[in-house]
């Protein structure tokens, strides 16, 4: 036990809390730089402060450390900034799960070959008295690189964000049908705006920062008082979902774009529709207003952009050149140029006065703002002679791997087949489908042996235990299910993930399973379903596996990063 932890242990709860709250400030005020540096690099203090008071207070302690001749040296200042940066980048995780402090310090600081940093990590490692996943290399964004912090709280994907003119608050719009107002300095959620009944796709903040307008697939726009969170007049009139909204520089008018192929100009004070702009032949995906407020540019799925006179509603010109849907558009501060992004994998820069295309920017491998569709699955039998593939055409196909010949087609699913696993004996396979079922197949005959029902949404993945007697499935219904493969009986449902479970794997010993859902990776005991350990990443996990040693975990995320973790605190994992 460290000296600081030992001293804290001798204090009463009240004195302990007082010491954690005031000691850093006292050391800074009395210019005791060396002692302040020692305190802020002591893992026992970091852990105790986080546990007792919270992550934001801990982050603010590091702001007390000033680099000067009488407080801290430059080297000490850099050291503290690294620790603060690592904690701040993981604040969203530590706010909800303080037990992941050690994992996240390792993930963000491991690659810094600084003796004192490595010392803190070793101190942190020795503090763990439970099973945990230790990064084998820096597997999270390094401290003070990339984003400063992550704001977490939405229960579905975030579609848009806007920052208030004073920079102190931001508003996010989400598929969870809400908007959230955030304090950009602390990352704290100030309030949640509810009222929409479908995805919220866009949000814009008025120049005075006092109101915001949101656009939703519920066919409406809503005006909000940003200080109170109160809903002001609704803007109704679109006959389909609203994809985009922009507010004019004077704050008095707004323009929206919709799936109904139109744009509408609104009086923001009264909520009145002033005019409708028609001309696009498909959905309007984005809109931007020029700095002078007199013109606007819209982007559409009809492959074009259009420039409009906002006062009269007249179409001034059409910008053509993209070969697929135009998804985004922005206007330069001088109002003379605009840039658009398209599903044709390009961005284009335009002269807004003449409508001339100035240049095309290429390099994207997928359409700008278009989500690529993941490839489906294939599994190879243990003897290597056959393979099974899955498809969106609702079938599986069995192939001869030597000749490439299709041996048979397996039909029975009523929607896309997402995954397939072959039993260790090579005689049966299990498939997972969007139709919410799994099916067990006889590989030799191609006949369907049984259907496993119970999931309430799409089944994304399936894994079979080494003994071939049990399987586990992962679903969009946020659960995993363990099945008896011989009888087709559901043995256990595993809950705990807060979003779709998109990957699952079973350890070679058949005793543990790993699953991923969005940013969370969980290890469980396969027999009881009990959660053993977890790790939160900063990008959505998309795949996972357990090495033959049973303690090394590999997971891939949306950023392209591969995470290597070791299960510590279990037999063979020390």
């Amino acid at each position: 036990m460290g000296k600081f932890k030992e001293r804290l242990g001798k204090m009463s709860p009240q004195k302990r809390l007082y010491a954690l709250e005031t000691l850093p400030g006292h050391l800074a005020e009395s210019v005791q730089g060396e002692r302040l540096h020692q305190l802020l690099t002591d893992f026992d203090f970091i852990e105790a402060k986080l546990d007792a008071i919270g992550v934001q207070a801990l982050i603010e302690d590091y702001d007390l450390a000033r680099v000067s001749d009488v407080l801290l040296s430059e080297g000490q200042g850099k050291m503290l900034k690294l620790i603060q940066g690592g904690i701040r980048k993981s604040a969203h995780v530590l706010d909800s799960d303080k037990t992941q402090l050690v994992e996240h310090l390792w993930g963000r600081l491991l690659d810094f070959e600084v003796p004192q940093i490595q010392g803190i990590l070793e101190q942190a490692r020795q503090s763990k008295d439970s099973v945990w996943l230790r990064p084998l290399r820096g597997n999270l964004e390094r401290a003070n690189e990339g984003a400063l912090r992550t704001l977490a709280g939405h229960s579905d994907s975030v579609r848009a964000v806007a920052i208030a003119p004073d920079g102190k608050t931001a508003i996010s719009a989400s598929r969870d049908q809400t908007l959230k107002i955030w304090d950009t300095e602390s990352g704290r959620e100030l309030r949640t705006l509810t009222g929409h009944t479908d995805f919220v796709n866009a949000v814009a903040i008025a120049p005075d920062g006092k109101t915001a307008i949101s656009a939703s697939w519920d066919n409406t726009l809503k005006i909000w008082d940003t200080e109170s969170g109160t809903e002001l007049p609704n803007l109704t009139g679109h006959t389909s979902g609203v994809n985009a909204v922009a507010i004019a520089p004077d704050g008095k008018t707004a323009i929206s774009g919709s799936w109904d192929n139109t744009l509408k100009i609104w009086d923001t004070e009264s909520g009145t529709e002033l005019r409708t702009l028609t001309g696009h032949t498909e959905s309007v995906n984005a809109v931007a207003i020029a700095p002078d407020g007199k013109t606007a540019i819209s982007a559409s799925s009809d492959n074009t952009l259009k420039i409009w006179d906002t006062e009269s509603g007249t179409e001034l010109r059409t910008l053509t050149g993209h070969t697929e849907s135009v998804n985004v558009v922005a206007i330069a501060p001088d109002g003379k140029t605009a840039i658009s992004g398209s599903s044709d994998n390009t961005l284009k820069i335009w002269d807004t006065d003449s409508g001339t295309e100035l240049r095309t920017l290429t390099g994207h491998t997928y359409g700008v703002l278009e989500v690529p569709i993941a490839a489906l699955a294939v599994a190879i039998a243990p003897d290597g002679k056959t393979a099974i593939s899955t498809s969106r055409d609702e079938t599986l196909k069995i192939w001869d791997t030597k000749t490439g010949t299709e041996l048979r087609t397996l039909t029975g699913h009523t929607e896309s087949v997402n995954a397939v696993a072959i039993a260790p004996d090579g005689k049966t396979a299990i498939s997972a489908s969007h139709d919410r079922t799994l099916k067990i197949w006889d590989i030799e005959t191609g006949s369907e042996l049984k259907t496993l029902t119970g999931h309430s949404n799409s089944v994304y993945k399936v894994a079979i235990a080494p003994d071939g007697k049990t399987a586990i499935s992962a679903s969009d219904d946020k659960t995993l299910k363990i099945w008896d493969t011989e009888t087709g009986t559901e043995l256990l449902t595993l809950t705990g993930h807060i979003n779709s479970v998109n990957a699952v794997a079973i350890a070679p010993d058949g005793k543990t399973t790993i699953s991923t859902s969005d940013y969370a990776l969980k290890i469980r005991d396969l027999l009881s379903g009990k959660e053993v350990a977890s790790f939160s990443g900063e990008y959505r996990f998309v795949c996972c596996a357990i090495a033959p040693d049973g303690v090394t975990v590999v997971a891939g995320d949306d950023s392209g990063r591969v995470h290597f973790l070791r299960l510590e605190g279990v037999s063979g994992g020390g």
Side-chain angles (χ1 to χ4, degrees):
M1 180 185 290
K3 292 181 180 179
F4 184 79
K5 184 179 283 189
E6 190 177 336
R7 289 200 301 272
L8 284 178
K10 295 177 180 178
M11 296 180 184
S12 68
Q14 294 84 356
K15 286 186 176 180
R16 186 173 185 270
L17 184 62
Y18 180 76
L20 290 169
E21 284 180 332
T22 62
L23 184 56
H26 169 72
L27 295 176
E29 288 171 10
S30 56
V31 201
Q32 298 185 61
E34 192 58 42
R35 286 192 61 195
L36 179 62
H37 179 261
Q38 289 174 359
L39 183 71
L40 297 180
T41 55
D42 187 324
F43 176 78
D44 289 342
F45 166 77
I46 295 170
E47 184 179 44
K49 179 100 180 198
L50 172 67
D51 186 57
I53 303 174
V55 67
Q56 186 57 30
L58 176 61
I59 291 167
E60 291 171 0
D61 281 344
Y62 289 85
D63 291 330
L64 298 170
R66 304 183 307 277
V67 176
S68 69
D69 293 336
V70 292
L71 195 56
L72 295 178
S73 68
E74 187 174 347
Q76 289 174 323
K78 287 181 178 178
M79 178 86 59
L80 296 184
K81 282 187 177 299
L82 276 180
I83 299 168
Q84 182 191 41
I87 295 169
R88 183 171 53 215
K89 284 176 75 70
S90 293
H92 62 296
V93 173
L94 301 177
D95 264 333
S96 59
D97 185 2
K98 295 173 183 176
T99 66
Q100 289 203 48
L101 173 64
V102 177
E103 291 90 327
H104 273 248
L105 288 179
W106 271 73
R108 298 201 188 278
L109 298 176
L110 183 58
D111 286 345
F112 291 98
E113 298 295 333
V114 180
Q116 195 161 5
I117 291 290
Q118 296 299 315
I120 293 170
L121 296 182
E122 186 55 35
Q123 188 186 0
R125 177 180 182 172
Q126 292 176 9
S127 75
K128 281 296 241 189
D129 56 5
S130 60
V131 178
W132 64 293
L133 286 163
R134 175 172 62 87
L136 296 179
R137 64 186 191 198
N139 67 328
L140 298 174
E141 231 176 36
R142 285 159 49 118
N144 299 328
E145 293 181 6
L148 286 175
R149 71 190 310 151
T150 297
L151 312 182
H154 283 295
S155 59
D156 208 331
S157 64
V158 181
R159 303 294 294 254
V161 66
I163 299 176
D166 64 7
K168 295 180 180 178
T169 56
I171 304 182
S172 55
S174 170
R175 284 171 56 117
D176 67 11
Q177 303 180 11
T178 73
L179 299 105
K180 289 182 182 290
I181 302 179
W182 308 87
D183 180 309
T184 55
E185 179 65 28
S186 67
R188 188 164 56 95
E189 180 186 320
L190 301 177
R191 59 189 60 88
T192 297
L193 311 182
T194 59
H196 282 298
T197 58
D198 208 329
F199 299 164
V200 189
N201 298 312
V203 62
I205 301 177
D208 63 6
K210 295 180 180 178
T211 56
I213 304 181
S214 56
S216 169
W217 276 1
D218 64 13
N219 301 3
T220 73
L221 298 105
K222 290 183 182 293
I223 304 179
W224 308 88
D225 181 309
T226 57
E227 292 181 359
S228 66
T230 307
E231 183 182 322
L232 300 173
N234 276 355
L235 310 182
T236 58
H238 281 297
T239 58
S240 192
V242 190
N243 296 319
V245 63
I247 301 176
D250 62 7
K252 295 179 180 179
T253 56
I255 304 182
S256 57
S258 167
W259 276 95
D260 64 14
N261 304 354
T262 72
L263 297 103
K264 290 183 182 291
I265 301 179
W266 308 87
D267 181 310
T268 58
E269 293 179 354
S270 65
T272 308
E273 179 186 324
L274 300 177
R275 57 190 63 87
T276 297
L277 314 183
T278 60
H280 282 298
T281 57
E282 290 192 42
S283 167
V284 183
N285 301 321
V287 63
I289 300 177
D292 63 7
K294 294 179 180 178
T295 56
I297 305 182
S298 56
S300 171
S301 292
D302 65 12
N303 303 359
T304 73
L305 298 104
K306 289 183 182 290
I307 301 179
W308 308 86
D309 181 306
T310 56
E311 292 182 358
S312 65
T314 307
E315 180 186 322
L316 301 177
R317 56 190 63 87
T318 297
L319 312 183
T320 60
H322 282 298
T323 58
E324 291 190 38
S325 172
V326 191
N327 304 315
V328 289
V329 63
I331 300 176
D334 63 7
K336 296 179 180 179
T337 55
I339 186 167
S340 58
S342 167
S343 296
D344 65 11
N345 302 351
T346 71
L347 298 109
K348 290 182 182 289
I349 300 176
W350 308 87
D351 180 305
T352 56
D353 287 334
S354 64
T356 308
E357 179 186 321
L358 300 177
R359 62 188 64 89
T360 297
L361 312 180
T362 59
H364 285 285
T365 55
Y366 292 104
V368 180
L369 289 194
E370 182 182 51
V371 179
I373 299 172
L376 298 186
V378 65
I380 299 176
D383 63 7
K385 295 178 180 178
T386 55
I388 304 181
S389 62
T390 73
S391 170
R392 288 185 184 82
D393 67 8
E394 305 171 6
T395 72
L396 299 98
K397 290 183 183 292
I398 302 178
W399 307 85
D400 182 308
T401 57
K402 188 174 183 180
T403 64
T405 307
E406 179 186 323
L407 300 177
R408 59 190 63 88
T409 297
L410 313 183
T411 60
H413 282 296
T414 57
E415 290 191 43
S416 171
V417 189
N418 300 318
V420 63
I422 299 176
D425 63 7
K427 295 179 180 179
T428 57
I430 305 181
S431 57
S433 169
H434 267 316
D435 66 13
R436 306 181 183 186
T437 73
L438 298 105
K439 290 182 182 289
I440 302 179
W441 308 87
D442 182 305
I443 293 175
E444 291 182 2
T445 65
S447 51
E448 179 184 323
L449 300 178
K450 48 186 69 76
T451 297
L452 313 182
T453 60
H455 281 296
S456 60
N457 215 327
S458 300
V459 190
Y460 288 139
K461 296 291 181 182
V462 61
I464 302 175
D467 63 6
K469 296 178 180 179
T470 55
I472 186 166
S473 55
S475 170
D476 195 28
D477 65 12
K478 306 177 186 178
T479 72
L480 298 111
K481 289 183 182 289
I482 299 176
W483 308 88
D484 181 311
T485 58
E486 293 179 353
T487 64
T489 309
E490 179 186 323
L491 301 175
L492 198 61
T493 295
L494 311 183
T495 60
H497 284 298
I498 61 172
N499 277 312
S500 301
V501 190
N502 49 36
V504 64
I506 298 175
D509 63 5
K511 295 179 180 179
T512 56
T513 181
I514 179 173
S515 58
T516 67
S517 170
D518 279 356
Y519 307 95
L521 184 155
K522 292 182 182 292
I523 302 281
R524 302 172 192 263
D525 180 276
L526 191 60
L527 184 63
S528 67
K530 182 181 177 183
E531 184 177 319
V532 175
S534 65
F535 182 84
S536 295
E538 54 202 342
Y539 295 93
R540 188 175 69 96
F541 286 110
V542 293
C543 57
C544 58
I546 303 178
D549 64 8
V551 293
T552 302
V553 172
V554 184
D557 69 27
D558 262 344
S559 75
R561 181 180 285 126
V562 178
H563 299 252
F564 294 88
L565 304 131
R566 185 173 176 82
L567 193 60
E568 299 279 6
V570 295
S571 177

